[in-house]
Amino acid sequence: MVSLEKINILAQNLNLEHVELPSIFLGQGVIKEITEYLKQKEFQHITIVVDNNTYEAAGNRIKSNVINEGIEVNVVVLTDNEHQQVIADEQTLVELFTKTSVYTDVYIAVGSGTIHDITRFCAYYMKLPFISVPTAASVDGFTSKGAPVILKGVKKTLQTSSPIAVFADTNILANSPKELTAAGFGDMIAKYTSLIDWKISAWIANEPYNQQAADITKASLQLCVDHREEIADRSSYGLEILMKALIESGLVMLLLNYSRPASGAEHHLSHYWEMSLLEKDKKQLLHGAKVGVASTIIINEYKNELATKSFDSFIGTTFEQQLKQHWPEIMTLIDKLPSVKEVAEMLSLVHGPSTVEELGLEKELVLESLQNAHTLRERCTGLFLLNTLSTHNRIIGYEL
Ligand SMILES: [Zn+2]
């Protein structure tokens, strides 16, 4: 089991020692330890949640290991849509509810982010625990409580439950499609801008801020950046670093009970794009792929738009006083951001999209999202500040 010391210290400092954090098993071959864990916890009836791909990747092995020990297994293979994607909408949520055996005492989510979201939603409302088995290092939400689900066509993130244990087997992660690993790296790269936005909001809108949580997230990001070659090669060591960073980021959100350190203007852009694709009934894009590219767009906005303004542009706006006090510090943070080129190169290195074209989005949608995405959440960000300037005419310096 992996000990996450910094997370334990954060829990202590937040007076949350009583919160039971998930047990983390990370490394080569840890999938074999699931059976022993189930026996220790005296679970007798498990429901494994998979899709066709993740059943092949890990679900069938877990099933046969567990059956050999006399534990009863119910496997739910979630149905995909016309785009061959499993979506966390009412139809799929009800599918899992109705296919869950009444004897189930624990769920095992085997898959990437969406299968986890569907499982955590059902586990929460069934008052059952769930175990996480990521089949790709694709997203930072495995260990958080947030379940983004689509209800009546609108995406909402509900706070549900976190797993009691995570079994992240790097042998399985290494066999996942490389765009999923690239997406996990993109979700970490997004912290460059989410962390700045959180600090801006703390200064300007008095949003609660936790330095230790920010430091943990920043250190996880830096570790991924330092080891990007190993992550690109998808070596066991590289995947362990990326997965640990994603797990830690999720645990920080779990302890704070909000997603702020990991979600800023780049996530708002991604959310806007996702809703548009949903409305048009188009195939969804990977979360991490979207937020990675969105980070490059936001870095461009901050370096080439926000940083070229003087404080005078904000005189007469609601936040004039706070901005006056903190403008130099905001400029320093923006200055320290890597360049668009550097971030785009990192995304390309790990085999992910680095431009809007590679992502397959329309330029018009991206421009529209830059004008409007800040209204999706009541959160102050650099993008929000730019859009509060009525005189601001956006000139897109970055080649979209
Ligand atoms: Zn994210």
Side-chain angles (χ1 to χ4, degrees):
M1 205 163 78
V2 180
S3 167
L4 302 170
E5 215 160 297
K6 285 185 287 183
I7 296 293
N8 293 331
I9 296 170
L10 177 65
Q12 277 169 21
N13 292 346
L14 291 166
N15 294 321
L16 293 173
E17 302 97 317
H18 58 282
V19 172
E20 216 171 306
L21 292 171
S23 305
I24 308 293
F25 300 83
L26 171 61
Q28 290 181 289
V30 296
I31 194 177
K32 291 195 280 273
E33 296 174 39
I34 295 177
T35 315
E36 195 46 46
Y37 179 85
L38 291 170
K39 279 164 64 185
Q40 262 179 26
K41 296 279 175 186
E42 298 178 354
F43 290 124
Q44 288 298 314
H45 305 272
I46 62 167
T47 289
I48 300 178
V49 189
V50 290
D51 63 18
N52 284 318
N53 296 328
T54 64
Y55 182 70
E56 290 304 319
N60 56 0
R61 273 167 59 201
I62 299 171
K63 181 187 166 187
S64 48
N65 289 348
V66 167
I67 284 177
N68 285 341
E69 293 295 328
I71 297 171
E72 196 179 291
V73 182
N74 166 38
V75 176
V76 179
V77 184
L78 297 171
T79 311
D80 51 14
N81 66 7
E82 72 274 24
H83 301 298
Q84 284 76 53
Q85 292 182 310
V86 170
I87 301 290
D89 59 5
E90 289 97 337
Q91 227 174 338
T92 319
L93 295 170
V94 170
E95 181 182 22
L96 181 54
F97 276 126
T98 54
K99 289 183 177 171
T100 300
S101 151
V102 288
Y103 301 108
T104 300
D105 46 26
V106 66
Y107 279 109
I108 305 187
V110 182
S112 55
T114 307
I115 289 179
H116 277 72
D117 296 331
I118 295 160
T119 308
R120 84 174 76 245
F121 182 94
C122 290
Y124 178 75
Y125 286 104
M126 301 281 276
K127 294 192 166 50
L128 290 172
F130 89 96
I131 293 167
S132 152
V133 181
T135 52
S138 56
V139 77
D140 70 359
F142 295 116
T143 44
S144 73
K145 279 186 182 178
V149 288
I150 296 153
L151 303 177
K152 296 201 170 175
V154 179
K155 187 179 154 184
K156 281 187 181 149
T157 299
L158 305 174
Q159 290 297 93
T160 58
S161 49
S162 55
I164 53 168
V166 180
F167 291 84
D169 190 324
T170 49
N171 291 338
I172 293 169
L173 304 179
N175 284 321
S176 67
K178 58 181 182 223
E179 56 268 30
L180 290 175
T181 311
F185 185 79
D187 212 11
M188 288 310 299
I189 282 293
K191 279 47 172 173
Y192 275 126
T193 44
S194 65
L195 285 170
I196 281 205
D197 279 338
W198 191 20
K199 191 75 210 181
I200 288 177
S201 186
W203 280 330
I204 307 305
N206 291 322
E207 190 176 337
Y209 188 79
N210 183 299
Q211 189 61 50
Q212 200 188 353
D215 289 344
I216 294 173
T217 309
K218 195 175 169 188
S220 299
L221 160 64
Q222 193 55 49
L223 213 56
C224 290
V225 168
D226 293 345
H227 294 275
R228 57 190 182 275
E229 299 276 356
E230 286 107 319
I231 294 170
D233 292 343
R234 302 201 301 153
S235 69
S236 190
Y237 182 58
L239 286 165
E240 205 169 308
I241 284 179
L242 175 59
M243 196 67 212
K244 192 174 175 208
L246 294 167
I247 286 172
E248 280 184 335
S249 173
L251 289 174
V252 167
M253 289 190 269
L254 175 69
L255 286 172
L256 294 179
N257 207 21
Y258 53 80
S259 61
R260 203 53 163 107
S263 170
E266 75 300 317
H267 271 68
H268 301 169
L269 289 186
S270 163
H271 192 97
Y272 195 93
W273 303 340
E274 191 173 343
M275 294 213 302
S276 168
L277 295 176
L278 204 64
E279 263 170 39
K280 294 172 188 153
D281 208 13
K282 287 193 177 170
K283 188 176 173 160
Q284 284 297 336
L285 303 171
L286 290 168
H287 170 80
K290 281 181 295 194
V291 296
V293 171
S295 294
T296 65
I297 296 170
I298 294 297
I299 289 174
N300 178 64
E301 285 285 302
Y302 291 3
K303 279 188 181 286
N304 297 327
E305 293 290 324
L306 193 57
T308 58
K309 303 265 173 283
S310 76
F311 160 72
D312 296 348
S313 316
F314 292 89
I315 292 173
T317 63
T318 323
F319 302 117
E320 179 183 335
Q321 283 313 313
Q322 293 94 318
L323 276 170
K324 188 177 182 183
Q325 194 184 342
H326 295 289
W327 191 250
E329 294 157 294
I330 294 173
M331 291 302 110
T332 305
L333 284 183
I334 292 175
D335 193 48
K336 282 184 186 164
L337 275 172
S339 69
V340 172
K341 190 169 173 277
E342 284 168 318
V343 173
E345 278 173 3
M346 287 188 229
L347 293 170
S348 298
L349 177 74
V350 301
H351 317 288
S354 64
T355 62
V356 167
E357 286 84 5
E358 285 173 8
L359 202 52
L361 287 176
E362 310 263 324
K363 186 179 172 183
E364 290 68 30
L365 174 65
V366 176
L367 289 170
E368 193 186 299
S369 65
L370 281 169
Q371 307 277 2
N372 300 315
H374 67 286
T375 60
L376 291 177
R377 304 280 313 251
E378 274 187 36
R379 281 178 171 179
C380 181
T381 61
L383 187 62
F384 171 85
L385 292 179
L386 269 174
N387 282 319
T388 54
L389 293 177
S390 55
T391 53
H392 174 58
N393 286 316
R394 175 164 283 108
I395 300 160
I396 304 293
Y398 177 55
E399 256 321 299
L400 285 174

